[in-house]
Amino acid sequence: MGKKLKKHFSDIITRIKDVKKEGSFIQNITYTISGNAYGILLQLIFSPILARIYSPEAYGVFGLYMAVVANISMFSLLMLPNAFVIPKKEREFSRLLQLTLFLTIFSSLVVSTAFVFFGQNIAKLFDHDGVQWWYYLVGPTVFLLGIIQINSNWIVRLKLFKKTVKVGFVTGLVGRIFNLLYGILSKGSSIGLVIGELTGKLFGLFLQIRVIIGANYNLLFKSWSYKKMIWALKEFRSYPLFLLPGNYINLLAGQLPIFLFASSFGFEMVGFYTFSLAMLDMPLRLFGNAISPVFTQKAAETQNTNPERVGSITKDAFLKLLLAGLIPFGLLSAFGDYIFVFVFGNNWQMAGTICRLLSVFYLFRLAVSPISSVLAIIRKEKYGLINSGLIFLLRVISLYIGIFIINDVLITIALFSLAGIIAIFVLIFIIFSFLKQNPYSIIVKVFIWGSGSVIFFNSLRWVLNNLIFS
């Protein structure tokens, strides 16, 4: 026992020292987490203020706009920027880079044309009375997000994680300040949320370009050739063939409530739902999304140099992320409605209740999302696609039962969350089976930790409600 504690303590000291080691895995994670932490701090500061300026309906319009943009953006680049860490030679990387730029320009032009000339047909699709003002922003937003995605993945390839801290902070700060000022002047118009988001991302894009200009930005324009781009598309065809369908199904499965709630329960409910997702996403951004690019780069590097270690580093990252989420998501599962009323006001109690219903799913999502990229790295993308099909099917069934049979929004969200949890457990089994880690022991551990956290905090709520404050 003493030897184990000594070894554990020694490992901790080693990891602390690694933080100072230039380019180390731990240092890169520290940079990305700190960058996301600044963004979350801004959100924590501004969200209680913005929630008292903008109504749930305004957030509902903003949520629908962002959902439409996200669905189109997913297709526009065919997931090819995710392959930026794969090419070993700069010549191969430049072909892939030029292909993604071409796809961004082409897709944004097509989308802009579609919304300008077929706006009335799109309005009928969304059950709108005529063309909405945000239709004209979809195409330019797709272009902006495409360039940002290209730069973000390029920065991952270059391992310039330290410089992303400033980019994320400025993006969040400018966007929130604009949200605040425009919201006060317009008395909470949804335009303020949309323009604020775009303004922040534009400032972030300028900073990204400054970061990459000093690191071979000329690759975008060097030896431009359509034949070379076609070669890149063939070489990395597994990304649009397997990774894109799976990720898009996951995206659509997560956003189906936004589209269906708008027509079934109204924009106010869409606002509650999207606002609760924004709060639940904060731990994912702090840990999951921060670790994901670093883990992907590390796993790809390990696969090329020491493939037998990919399983151990994946398991280690997964369990540590799960452990990190037990307390915050456990608290939300029990006290979400109380927290939302206290922080954001009485108007947002429903959003807190939705947060409670989704918290367990988000706990497991926090742990599994960063490591899901390992299937592409070990060339098992099709199994990720199969799992995505499963989660889509389960969620469609859950939404059909909740909306069209029971017609209760909270039951719908509970069933929706349960469907996601089932699919995540299947994904855990798939990933660790291929990595030759015991998937059964991992699943049991995940279940015990997750259910233990939820039971503990909800028991605490019961004690407080019935024995202390009754």
Side-chain angles (χ1 to χ4, degrees):
M1 186 70 178
K3 290 183 178 179
K4 288 184 178 179
L5 287 174
K6 187 176 180 180
K7 184 179 183 301
H8 183 66
F9 182 75
S10 178
D11 288 342
I12 292 174
I13 296 299
T14 301
R15 291 178 184 274
I16 291 174
K17 290 181 178 179
D18 282 345
V19 173
K20 298 180 180 180
K21 186 178 179 182
E22 191 65 31
S24 69
F25 182 58
I26 298 298
Q27 187 188 70
N28 290 337
I29 287 179
T30 303
Y31 286 143
T32 51
I33 287 179
S34 63
N36 283 336
Y38 288 136
I40 290 172
L41 178 62
L42 290 173
Q43 190 168 351
L44 289 173
I45 293 171
F46 281 93
S47 290
I49 304 171
L50 296 177
R52 288 168 170 81
I53 295 175
Y54 294 97
S55 66
E57 289 89 347
Y59 273 97
V61 173
F62 175 68
L64 181 59
Y65 159 76
M66 291 303 297
V68 171
V69 169
N71 276 268
I72 297 173
S73 295
M74 178 73 76
F75 269 103
S76 66
L77 291 175
L78 304 178
M79 296 296 294
L80 289 170
N82 292 61
F84 281 6
V85 296
I86 303 298
K88 297 180 181 179
K89 298 179 180 179
E90 287 297 287
R91 182 176 68 255
E92 296 174 354
F93 171 63
S94 67
R95 296 172 182 175
L96 183 60
L97 189 64
Q98 290 168 3
L99 173 62
T100 56
L101 177 61
F102 171 78
L103 290 173
T104 299
I105 297 171
F106 176 77
S107 59
S108 60
L109 289 174
V110 170
V111 170
S112 296
T113 302
F115 273 89
V116 169
F117 290 99
F118 303 101
Q120 291 294 342
N121 300 90
I122 296 172
K124 292 178 182 178
L125 183 65
F126 289 123
D127 198 24
H128 289 160
D129 295 327
V131 177
Q132 305 297 302
W133 58 267
W134 55 265
Y135 286 12
Y136 302 106
L137 294 175
V138 173
T141 307
V142 168
F143 176 77
L144 175 61
L145 294 182
I147 299 298
I148 289 174
Q149 189 177 350
I150 289 172
N151 285 333
S152 298
N153 284 275
W154 196 348
I155 287 171
V156 171
R157 176 181 174 84
L158 296 170
K159 301 181 185 179
L160 299 174
F161 299 102
K162 182 178 181 179
K163 295 184 178 180
T164 61
V165 176
K166 182 190 293 185
V167 174
F169 178 76
V170 172
T171 300
L173 180 61
V174 171
R176 299 297 80 77
I177 289 176
F178 193 94
N179 288 154
L180 179 61
L181 295 178
Y182 195 96
I184 293 173
L185 294 174
S186 67
K187 297 181 179 179
S189 171
S190 56
I191 299 176
L193 292 171
V194 174
I195 302 300
E197 183 76 11
L198 295 179
T199 304
K201 289 191 180 303
L202 273 173
F203 273 84
L205 174 61
F206 292 142
L207 289 177
Q208 282 185 329
I209 292 173
R210 285 188 62 187
V211 169
I212 298 176
I213 279 178
N216 302 322
Y217 213 86
N218 62 316
L219 287 174
L220 268 174
F221 312 102
K222 186 178 180 180
S223 301
W224 187 281
S225 169
Y226 290 108
K227 289 183 178 179
K228 291 178 181 179
M229 287 191 287
I230 292 173
W231 173 90
L233 184 59
K234 291 180 179 178
E235 180 69 16
F236 299 98
R237 61 186 177 277
S238 62
Y239 283 80
L241 287 177
F242 297 113
L243 205 61
L244 173 62
N247 278 268
Y248 179 70
I249 291 173
N250 283 334
L251 175 70
L252 183 59
Q255 293 182 335
L256 276 175
I258 294 176
F259 298 116
L260 294 176
F261 286 2
S263 57
S264 300
F265 303 116
F267 274 104
E268 183 180 48
M269 191 55 64
V270 175
F272 289 137
Y273 179 75
T274 55
F275 193 81
S276 67
L277 293 189
M279 298 303 108
L280 286 166
D281 276 334
M282 286 197 290
L284 264 71
R285 286 166 49 205
L286 180 59
F287 295 108
N289 293 354
I291 291 174
S292 184
V294 183
F295 171 79
T296 301
Q297 185 273 326
K298 179 67 175 179
E301 185 180 88
T302 305
Q303 178 67 14
N304 290 331
T305 58
N306 194 8
E308 62 272 10
R309 289 198 63 246
V310 174
S312 61
I313 66 171
T314 303
K315 180 181 176 181
D316 186 56
F318 171 75
L319 292 178
K320 286 181 177 177
L321 280 168
L322 180 65
L323 191 62
L326 290 177
I327 293 177
F329 285 111
L331 280 168
L332 286 173
S333 74
F335 302 103
D337 49 345
Y338 295 162
I339 294 171
F340 271 59
V341 169
F342 177 76
V343 177
F344 306 114
N346 292 327
N347 289 339
W348 295 98
Q349 183 176 5
M350 176 59 76
T353 302
I354 293 172
C355 203
R356 292 186 65 194
L357 296 173
L358 293 171
S359 59
V360 178
F361 165 66
Y362 265 79
L363 168 63
F364 297 140
R365 183 182 172 189
L366 167 71
V368 82
S369 292
I371 68 164
S372 60
S373 62
V374 79
L375 288 175
I377 291 169
I378 63 175
R379 301 293 182 175
K380 300 293 182 183
E381 301 95 333
K382 65 180 180 180
Y383 293 94
L385 176 58
I386 292 171
N387 182 258
S388 298
L390 173 64
I391 190 173
F392 183 77
L393 177 62
L394 291 174
R395 284 186 156 180
V396 167
I397 293 172
S398 69
L399 289 171
Y400 179 79
I401 294 173
I403 294 175
F404 299 105
I405 296 180
I406 301 176
N407 193 31
D408 184 287
V409 67
L410 294 181
I411 293 177
T412 301
I413 292 171
L415 292 172
F416 185 77
S417 181
L418 178 61
I421 292 170
I422 293 171
I424 282 179
F425 273 80
V426 174
L427 181 59
I428 293 170
F429 182 85
I430 292 172
I431 290 173
F432 289 108
S433 293
F434 280 120
L435 295 177
K436 298 181 180 179
Q437 304 290 313
N438 188 341
Y440 298 103
S441 66
I442 294 173
I443 288 173
V444 169
K445 187 176 291 187
V446 169
F447 180 79
I448 292 174
W449 288 7
S451 58
S453 174
V454 171
I455 291 171
F456 171 78
F457 284 107
N458 278 273
S459 298
L460 181 60
R461 176 186 173 117
W462 185 89
V463 170
L464 292 174
N465 285 343
N466 293 279
L467 300 181
I468 297 180
F469 299 116
S470 60

